[in-house]
Amino acid sequence: MEIMTDQGFRKTIKYLRAFIFISLIGMICMLILFAGILGYAKILGAPPLAVPQSTLFFADDGTLIGESNSGQKRYWVNMNDISPDLVNATVSVEDKNFYHHHGFDFKRIAGAVVADVSAFAKVQGASTITQQYARNLFLEHDKTWKRKLTEAFYTIRLEMNYSKKDILEGYLNTIYYGNGAYGVEAASQYYFGKKAADLSLAEASLLAGIPKGPGIYSPFANIEKAKSRQAIILKTMVENGYISKKAAQAAAMAPLHLAGAHATQKVKVAPYFQDAVRNALKNQLHLDERTIALGGLKVYTTLNLKQQEAAESEIKKNVASSSEIQVGLVAMDPKNGDVKAMVGGRDYEKSPFNRAVQAIRQPGSTIKPLLYYAALEHGFTPSSTMRSEYTTFHFDDGQADYTPHNFNNKYANGEITLAEALAVSDNIFAVKTHLFLGEDTLVETAKKFGLSTKMSEVPSLALGTSGVRMIDMANAYSMFANGGKKVFPALITRVEDYNGNVIYEKENHFNRILNPARAYVMTQMLTGIFDSKLNGYTRVTGSTISKSLTRPYAGKSGSTDTDSWMIGYSPQLVTAVWAGYDTGKPIEMAADKTYAKKIWANFMEDALKGQPVKAFKAPKEGVIGVYVDPENGKLATKDCPIRRFTYFVKGTEPTEYCTDHLKNAHDTHKKDAADKKVPWYKKIMPWD
């Protein structure tokens, strides 16, 4: 046996001291490095938890109507909205020591290393829930050392800055469950057709097993393997004290009713409206496209589902399926500009072009109320008269002659009032008014009413030859309906981020643009298109639909060779309907020319069904109502055959009484007096 010499012993001690010293230095360096990492992580602070999530769109009653379509379903729900069984099942199978470690389970890591070495392959994972969450949030799923080190750093940052509840909530909302479903809410909806909060133990334990391998453990991929994985999870839940053995056995035997479909696979509700909402998020709220598509926003809109359904139904019902004509509709609440229904075409799948907001079409006679409002500002009244007859307008500046025509070339060939001209849509009266006011007056008035398209200063502008957008026209008429207040078409009332923070909320600011008295007088004149007593030489333009209307309305129809319009309102709702061909070809079939009016009338009745019948409310001051003879606009007497109660701006009402019927009344009086003096028998046998 060899005995160590003093020299050898001293040498060994020297090496041992050197090893201990180096080890201590190494440990100190490691501690400094670790402290540096912790300090750096603390300085960086909490990492952002924003992850791609579907943006959701809601109707005005909170009903989900759609979501951003990226091929993935991502919804964020709070822990309170997740079944406790699913939470416990996930922790039990993925990271049973989750509540006790600080991001790394070193005991589990050691066990995994031993298992992998024994099998000469990677057979056991050791990633904690925090590590997996870090990977889901910030990293790709490659297997490089750089990724692993970065993952470890993010894990430290998460554990330092967030509670276990926050980390677990984030993990459950980002883990992939297969079939495009990210997070427990999307997965619950897809696999079981219910919310994550409503999952049973059987459903929760099955769902918790899928993330290990969605292509293997999904019940739609292999139900046997899915059930086998479920059994393992139930066993771990028993071992970890989450459930009893009896509950586990019952859950394993419980029948499962699988759905296999996402809650909103395809946009079905108001697709044109939803497109318009996305454009508003981008152009008005200035959100970028990625945030809109994957920001997890909750967008609360103005859409009324009942009225939207009525709009789509009436268009489908009234327009022949064989027709190539297109139809657009916009309905707004005139009090605040909220768009309640929108149809941009007859088939979104065939043509997503939104005619309600994008198309620029000639408005025809629907522009006349704006013209006549300007006329009221310049001293005209409902009783103002002009001669309606075939007319050619000549101009001194070399401009070509202009000869407008009335519908079917029918003219009064005499004096008619402004109120009557509006009701029968007399084009001669309109052009004369337009030229009298000056061609620039209507251009400026259109701007006042919010029309955004360019108007041409030409005689035919009075007949609506410059293009407009439907939504602008609906908004313009809303100013008549609300007494002259300027509102803007609104699609969105509130937007929340994925955490529920309000990033936008609509504020109502109303500026009065129109004189309330003139706006009310204009509204009352616009009720005349449904009043057959207004004239004697031609039918009012609303006569074909007036019998189907059950409440007070004001409105105006309009037509050109290529466009057919009807815009009208009640105190609660203003609606614009347009029909025409995208190619701009003439509307020749008689039936096609009636679509706009019929759809408008039926929609208004359907949309307002169940709501109180309201009359247009006069302003507290500034107007006066008197009976006039509608043929001449003068104050009616008891001898006038037709008397219509008409509103005027106070101080502009007529003061002259109608005398057209006095001679007839006098002759009738004389005849009655003579009859009284003649014996009755002479009336029968008038002999001398």
Side-chain angles (χ1 to χ4, degrees):
M1 181 176 178
E2 185 177 348
I3 299 175
M4 183 181 296
T5 63
D6 285 345
Q7 186 178 357
F9 180 75
R10 284 194 296 271
K11 196 172 184 179
T12 300
I13 294 297
K14 181 180 178 182
Y15 285 141
L16 184 59
R17 286 175 177 172
F19 175 76
I20 292 172
F21 178 76
I22 293 171
S23 297
L24 285 172
I25 293 296
M27 289 178 65
I28 291 170
C29 290
M30 288 290 290
L31 288 172
I32 293 172
L33 177 62
F34 186 63
I37 291 173
L38 292 179
Y40 183 53
K42 192 67 177 176
I43 291 171
L44 289 178
L49 300 183
V51 295
Q53 298 170 51
S54 297
T55 288
L56 305 179
F57 302 95
F58 300 91
D60 63 357
D61 64 352
T63 302
L64 178 67
I65 59 173
E67 63 181 288
S68 56
N69 183 15
S70 62
Q72 301 175 356
K73 306 297 177 183
R74 298 175 180 263
Y75 315 126
W76 191 283
V77 289
N78 296 324
M79 284 291 284
N80 294 336
D81 296 319
I82 302 174
S83 163
D85 287 328
L86 181 56
V87 175
N88 295 335
T90 301
V91 171
S92 187
V93 72
E94 293 291 340
D95 187 1
K96 67 179 182 180
N97 296 318
F98 171 72
Y99 295 106
H100 308 292
H101 61 64
H102 297 287
F104 304 95
D105 189 340
F106 295 106
K107 183 177 180 181
R108 188 178 176 190
I109 291 172
V113 170
V114 171
D116 291 348
V117 170
S118 300
F120 294 102
K122 187 168 181 59
V123 296
Q124 184 173 318
S127 294
T128 63
I129 282 176
T130 311
Q131 288 175 280
Q132 293 182 58
Y133 184 33
R135 190 183 313 145
N136 292 341
L137 277 174
F138 311 110
L139 308 165
E140 299 297 332
H141 287 251
D142 55 327
K143 297 183 179 181
T144 63
W145 280 107
K146 180 181 177 181
R147 196 271 296 165
K148 290 181 179 295
L149 290 172
T150 309
E151 177 188 303
F153 183 63
Y154 275 123
T155 300
I156 293 170
R157 290 182 67 192
L158 286 172
E159 288 281 344
M160 287 180 69
N161 292 283
Y162 293 101
S163 68
K164 288 290 186 180
K165 176 181 175 293
D166 291 336
I167 293 171
L168 185 55
E169 180 182 295
Y171 171 78
L172 289 168
N173 277 290
T174 56
I175 197 70
Y176 184 54
Y177 287 87
N179 292 287
Y182 286 80
V184 293
E185 183 67 14
S188 299
Q189 294 283 1
Y190 178 78
Y191 287 103
F192 300 108
K194 59 173 64 174
K195 295 180 178 180
D198 301 329
L199 292 173
S200 66
L201 175 59
E203 294 163 341
S205 56
L206 185 85
L207 200 61
I210 296 175
K212 181 177 175 65
I216 300 172
Y217 299 111
S218 164
F220 297 113
N222 192 314
I223 189 62
E224 288 79 15
K225 289 185 178 179
K227 291 292 291 182
S228 175
R229 177 77 174 156
Q230 179 196 42
I232 293 172
I233 292 172
L234 290 169
K235 182 181 178 183
T236 63
M237 292 180 74
V238 173
E239 292 172 350
N240 294 319
Y242 289 115
I243 58 173
S244 66
K245 191 172 183 180
K246 183 178 180 180
Q249 292 171 343
M253 298 296 293
L256 295 168
H257 302 286
L258 301 172
H262 290 290
T264 52
Q265 295 188 86
K266 181 181 177 183
V267 173
K268 294 181 180 179
V269 179
Y272 291 102
F273 178 85
Q274 291 195 45
D275 274 359
V277 169
R278 291 185 182 91
N279 287 331
L281 290 170
K282 180 180 178 181
N283 299 320
Q284 295 175 21
L285 274 61
H286 306 296
L287 299 177
D288 61 83
E289 292 185 358
R290 177 174 173 79
T291 300
I292 296 169
L294 297 171
L297 306 176
K298 289 183 175 65
V299 183
Y300 296 90
T301 76
T302 59
L303 187 78
N304 182 287
L305 288 173
K306 175 195 168 187
Q307 294 179 358
Q308 179 67 29
E309 183 180 344
E312 295 174 358
S313 174
E314 290 302 335
I315 291 173
K316 186 175 182 180
K317 187 191 306 180
N318 283 282
V319 182
S321 58
S322 59
S323 176
E324 294 181 359
I325 205 165
Q326 282 293 347
V327 180
L329 181 150
V330 177
M332 292 171 51
D333 183 337
K335 294 188 296 294
N336 52 27
D338 288 357
V339 175
K340 310 311 291 183
M342 177 183 288
V343 178
R346 291 175 59 196
D347 190 330
Y348 180 83
E349 297 297 327
K350 291 181 180 178
S351 174
F353 178 68
N354 192 340
R355 296 153 189 87
V357 296
Q358 292 176 288
I360 298 177
R361 306 295 299 225
Q362 293 182 348
S365 292
T366 60
I367 201 71
K368 289 177 182 175
L370 279 62
L371 170 68
Y372 291 143
Y373 179 83
L376 294 180
E377 288 185 315
H378 287 77
F380 281 60
T381 78
S383 290
S384 296
T385 59
M386 287 188 185
R387 188 171 181 81
S388 170
E389 61 187 355
Y390 180 88
T391 305
T392 296
F393 294 89
H394 306 282
F395 303 94
D396 296 332
D397 58 358
Q399 187 176 344
D401 291 350
Y402 178 54
T403 306
H405 299 278
N406 278 351
F407 180 70
N408 286 339
N409 285 313
K410 288 187 176 181
Y411 306 92
N413 292 315
E415 298 283 325
I416 62 171
T417 67
L418 189 157
E420 186 176 356
L422 184 60
V424 302
S425 203
D426 189 278
N427 289 337
I428 308 304
F429 197 110
V431 175
K432 285 182 176 180
T433 304
H434 176 49
L435 295 176
F436 176 83
L437 297 176
E439 293 171 340
D440 61 330
T441 300
L442 181 53
V443 173
E444 293 305 313
T445 302
K447 292 178 182 177
K448 179 192 294 187
F449 277 84
L451 272 59
S452 57
T453 48
K454 185 178 179 181
M455 296 280 169
S456 301
E457 294 184 13
V458 293
S460 62
L461 180 60
L463 308 184
T465 54
S466 285
V468 296
R469 291 185 176 87
M470 282 185 61
I471 196 163
D472 287 349
M473 289 299 289
N475 191 54
Y477 274 59
S478 72
M479 295 173 67
F480 291 132
N482 68 29
K485 292 180 291 185
K486 179 68 173 178
V487 295
F488 296 93
L491 306 170
I492 302 167
T493 57
R494 190 172 80 257
V495 180
E496 297 176 0
D497 66 14
Y498 74 97
N499 275 327
N501 300 314
V502 177
I503 61 175
Y504 167 79
E505 190 152 21
K506 181 192 172 192
E507 296 181 0
N508 292 320
H509 298 292
F510 304 123
N511 295 321
R512 194 171 293 281
I513 302 296
L514 308 184
N515 176 277
R518 295 190 188 105
Y520 183 72
V521 168
M522 198 68 237
T523 287
Q524 288 300 318
M525 282 199 289
L526 286 170
T527 65
I529 78 161
F530 307 113
D531 186 352
S532 60
K533 296 179 179 179
L534 255 180
N535 77 97
Y537 80 92
T538 187
R539 291 196 304 175
V540 292
T541 56
S543 60
T544 57
I545 56 174
S546 59
K547 290 183 180 179
S548 63
L549 304 178
T550 62
R551 59 178 70 217
Y553 295 107
K556 186 72 188 75
S557 60
S559 62
T560 68
D561 290 341
T562 57
D563 301 274
S564 176
W565 291 77
M566 180 65 204
I567 310 176
Y569 53 93
S570 72
Q572 302 105 309
L573 192 68
V574 56
T575 300
V577 180
W578 165 88
Y581 295 96
D582 285 336
T583 56
K585 74 175 184 178
I587 304 173
E588 296 176 342
M589 294 184 63
D592 291 354
K593 296 178 181 179
T594 66
Y595 288 147
K597 287 183 184 178
K598 288 182 178 178
I599 291 168
W600 179 87
N602 294 335
F603 168 74
M604 290 296 284
E605 289 291 303
D606 290 347
L608 295 172
K609 190 176 295 181
Q611 295 190 34
V613 176
K614 291 186 177 181
F616 295 105
K617 188 176 180 180
K620 293 181 179 179
E621 55 185 22
V623 297
I624 186 171
V626 295
Y627 281 101
V628 301
D629 184 319
E631 287 191 5
N632 55 38
K634 297 177 181 178
L635 291 172
T637 68
K638 59 182 177 57
D639 299 315
C640 293
I642 300 175
R643 303 164 73 233
R644 191 176 196 271
F645 195 71
T646 305
Y647 280 91
F648 295 81
V649 176
K650 198 167 186 178
T652 68
E653 67 273 15
T655 56
E656 184 181 353
Y657 281 90
C658 172
T659 58
D660 292 355
H661 310 96
L662 291 181
K663 184 177 184 302
N664 292 336
H666 180 66
D667 291 344
T668 301
H669 178 72
K670 286 175 63 178
K671 184 177 183 300
D672 290 343
D675 286 345
K676 290 179 182 178
K677 295 178 181 178
V678 178
W680 66 269
Y681 58 87
K682 286 192 175 183
K683 293 179 183 178
I684 300 174
M685 295 178 291
W687 301 327
D688 293 335

